[in-house]
């Protein structure tokens, strides 16, 4: 084995000896080694310092043994590049002090040169690829780049941060859908250049996060989320595998099957075999362990992981969580999840 490429092989629909496994938010606060770096550095500075971003990207590869690395950054960074002030406040999450809520505010946004404004992410990708090349073969894993959908980025930018009701955003969809679409198109333009830059810098697969699209019913998801998303997916097609993640999207499966992606990543509210049966086309599935399972005793984690492998059988499966790993997760529990896949995964392929 010259490197561990299980993840890329499954994304491409090739046969493998066992399913690959990684975890959304795998570089993060559940790791004491991450918290040690964060004690010295605020979150945005960490994202913007390639040496540190590279170091935390590799932590779960070395400490937990995952089969893929995802570059350490945040989906909201391109909005900052467009001139929107972004802060991460302790206990509050992301804050946009000047939310965008009308066409006049859209006109104020800049059309950034991504090398000048987001080049630190590209540099972190280059350094991480280089560092991965000097790992032993089993830890020389593929590197994933990512972005959010314009809709999910807009949900933070329009609300000014995390929201319970999304009243400003959802109100805008009724009041002036074309105006909101103009905002989504502007975000899509930057996202396309940003993702192409990530590929050029060494990203070997791309994951697009649509955390908040499923707030909408299917007809309005197709009207508001899908057009700018399709432009992005088309623009990066044919280069690297595309993974689409939607949280709570069981009501959108017919539309998700139309997306030009190689992998669909779903949450835990429907078992993978049900999702596979309901989809109108063959596609590799990623997911979908409930992240709270990793708070349970080891025997429970083993049993749930075994059941997940069983449900993923009969089609390509990238084992993952259904959403990000929780900060309170004991790292040993994440290791039990990953080790279980490595130990018995060979029984669940083919
Ligand atoms: O997965 C990884 O390890 C790669 C890095 C990554 C982060 N955020 C780092 C991060 C990725 C892929 C994301 C995606 C992201 N960011 C999403 C989509 C997926 C999802 O979780 O639904 C969203 C919606 C965001 C926006 C965001 N960033 C929020 C809402 C928050 C605050 C909530 C929280 O978890 O603290 C963040 C902060 C953030 N992004 C942290 C990390 C490790 C925590 C920052 C810290 O260290 O304090």
């Amino acid at each position: 084995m010259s490197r561990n490429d299980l993840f890329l092989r499954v994304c491409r629909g090739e046969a493998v000896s066992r399913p690959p496994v990684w975890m959304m938010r795998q570089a993060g606060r559940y790791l004491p080694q991450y918290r040690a770096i964060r004690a010295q550095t605020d979150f945005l500075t960490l994202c913007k310092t390639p040496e540190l971003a590279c170091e935390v990207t590799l932590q779960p590869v070395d400490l937990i043994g995952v089969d893929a690395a995802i570059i350490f950054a945040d989906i909201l960074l391109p909005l900052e590049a467009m001139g929107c002030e972004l802060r991460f406040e302790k206990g509050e999450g992301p804050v946009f002090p000047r939310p965008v809520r009308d066409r006049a505010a859209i006109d104020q946004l800049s059309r950034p040169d991504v090398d000048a404004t987001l080049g630190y992410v590209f540099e972190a990708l280059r350094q991480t690829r280089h560092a991965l090349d000097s790992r032993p073969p089993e830890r020389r894993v593929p590197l994933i780049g990512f972005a959010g959908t314009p809709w999910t980025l807009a949900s933070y930018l329009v609300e000014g941060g995390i929201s319970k009701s999304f009243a400003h955003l959802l109100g805008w969809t009724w009041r002036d859908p074309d105006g909101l679409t103009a905002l989504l198109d502007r975000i899509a333009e930057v996202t396309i250049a940003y993702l192409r830059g990530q590929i050029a810098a060494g990203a070997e697969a791309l994951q697009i996060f649509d955390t908040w699209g499923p707030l909408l019913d299917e007809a309005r998801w197709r009207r508001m989320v899908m057009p700018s998303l399709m432009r992005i997916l088309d623009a990066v097609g044919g280069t690297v595998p595309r993974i689409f993640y939607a949280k709570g999207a069981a009501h959108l499966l017919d539309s998700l099957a139309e997306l030009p992606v190689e992998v669909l990543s779903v949450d835990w509210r429907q078992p993978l075999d049900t999702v596979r049966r309901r989809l109108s086309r063959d596609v590799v599935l990623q997911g979908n362990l409930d992240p709270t399972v990793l708070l349970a005793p080891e025997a429970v984690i083993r049993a749930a992981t075994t059941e997940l492998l069983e449900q993923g059988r009969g089609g390509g499966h990238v084992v993952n969580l259904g959403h990000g790993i929780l900060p309170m997760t004991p790292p040993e529990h994440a290791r039990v999840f990953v080790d279980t896949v490595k130990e018995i995964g060979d029984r669940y392929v083919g």
Side-chain angles (χ1 to χ4, degrees):
M1 174 164 71
S2 62
R3 70 176 294 203
N4 174 351
D5 64 353
L6 287 169
F7 166 77
L8 287 177
R9 294 174 59 90
V10 169
C11 289
R12 293 193 295 248
E14 295 169 16
V16 284
S17 53
R18 66 161 172 87
V21 54
W22 67 281
M23 298 178 295
M24 288 186 271
R25 288 282 178 98
Q26 64 189 12
R29 285 164 295 185
Y30 74 105
L31 289 175
Q33 293 84 349
Y34 173 86
R35 291 199 301 272
I37 291 179
R38 276 283 281 109
Q40 315 287 330
T41 320
D42 67 79
F43 176 65
L44 277 176
T45 304
L46 178 50
C47 291
K48 292 175 184 180
T49 311
E51 294 72 23
L52 292 177
C54 169
E55 183 178 342
V56 298
T57 298
L58 293 170
Q59 284 178 348
V61 176
D62 295 331
L63 298 166
I64 310 292
V66 289
D67 294 309
I70 181 163
I71 194 65
F72 190 83
D74 196 82
I75 59 167
L76 301 175
L77 298 172
L79 295 176
E80 190 187 45
M82 295 171 77
C84 309
E85 184 184 344
L86 167 63
R87 295 194 211 129
F88 279 88
E89 317 228 319
K90 211 171 160 44
E92 260 189 81
V95 175
F96 289 99
R98 293 189 308 276
V100 169
R101 293 183 181 160
D102 53 34
R103 292 189 192 219
I106 299 173
D107 291 337
Q108 301 296 310
L109 298 172
S110 61
R111 290 196 153 80
D113 171 329
V114 293
D115 288 309
T117 54
L118 293 160
Y120 56 85
V121 177
F122 306 152
E123 180 56 24
L125 282 160
R126 282 189 288 269
Q127 290 190 15
T128 307
R129 275 298 290 276
H130 185 75
L132 282 167
D133 283 341
S134 59
R135 290 283 186 286
E138 70 279 6
R139 280 191 275 138
R140 205 171 297 157
V141 297
L143 179 57
I144 305 170
F146 68 89
T149 59
W151 171 268
T152 288
L153 267 55
S155 69
Y156 292 95
L157 182 59
V158 174
E159 295 295 328
I162 290 174
S163 171
K164 285 202 172 71
S165 68
F166 295 91
H168 293 287
L169 177 75
L170 296 173
W172 196 350
T173 68
W174 298 112
R175 176 167 44 84
D176 179 21
D178 292 341
L180 180 53
T181 298
L183 172 62
L184 301 175
D185 287 342
R186 286 290 292 274
I187 298 173
E189 240 174 75
V190 180
T191 303
I192 288 169
Y194 179 47
L195 288 174
R196 286 180 170 155
Q198 291 188 40
I199 295 169
E204 299 171 275
L206 294 174
Q207 179 152 326
I208 311 298
F209 289 92
D210 189 32
T211 310
W212 298 119
L215 284 172
L216 297 169
D217 61 75
E218 188 161 28
R220 287 196 313 137
W221 188 86
R222 295 181 74 88
R223 164 76 173 84
M224 299 307 307
V225 180
M226 205 173 181
S228 53
L229 169 61
M230 288 294 272
R231 293 220 330 266
I232 293 168
L233 293 173
D234 285 339
V236 297
T239 49
V240 298
R242 296 158 293 183
I243 308 168
F244 182 75
Y245 169 75
K247 178 164 180 270
H251 63 299
L252 302 176
L253 288 182
D254 291 339
S255 295
L256 298 191
E258 288 177 34
L259 295 176
V261 295
E262 286 65 38
V263 183
L264 271 183
S265 189
V266 292
D267 83 359
W268 58 92
R269 280 169 278 193
Q270 276 197 337
L272 283 190
D273 45 358
T274 307
V275 173
R276 205 184 291 288
R277 218 172 26 246
R278 287 189 52 205
L279 284 169
S280 58
R281 73 168 171 107
D282 281 338
V283 59
V284 174
L285 293 180
Q286 176 175 278
N288 64 348
L289 193 78
D290 182 335
T292 59
V293 170
L294 298 189
L295 307 177
E298 292 191 8
V300 176
I301 300 170
R302 278 211 188 82
T305 307
T306 306
E307 193 184 357
L308 171 62
L309 285 165
E310 181 63 45
Q311 289 164 350
R313 184 204 284 278
H317 181 198
V318 177
V319 180
N320 204 318
L321 306 175
H323 196 210
I325 188 168
L326 295 164
M328 69 212 284
T329 307
E332 319 79 80
H333 288 192
R335 226 172 285 124
V336 169
F337 171 56
V338 168
D339 285 346
T340 303
V341 177
K342 291 183 174 178
E343 283 157 22
I344 64 167
D346 60 347
R347 301 178 208 162
Y348 299 90
V349 288

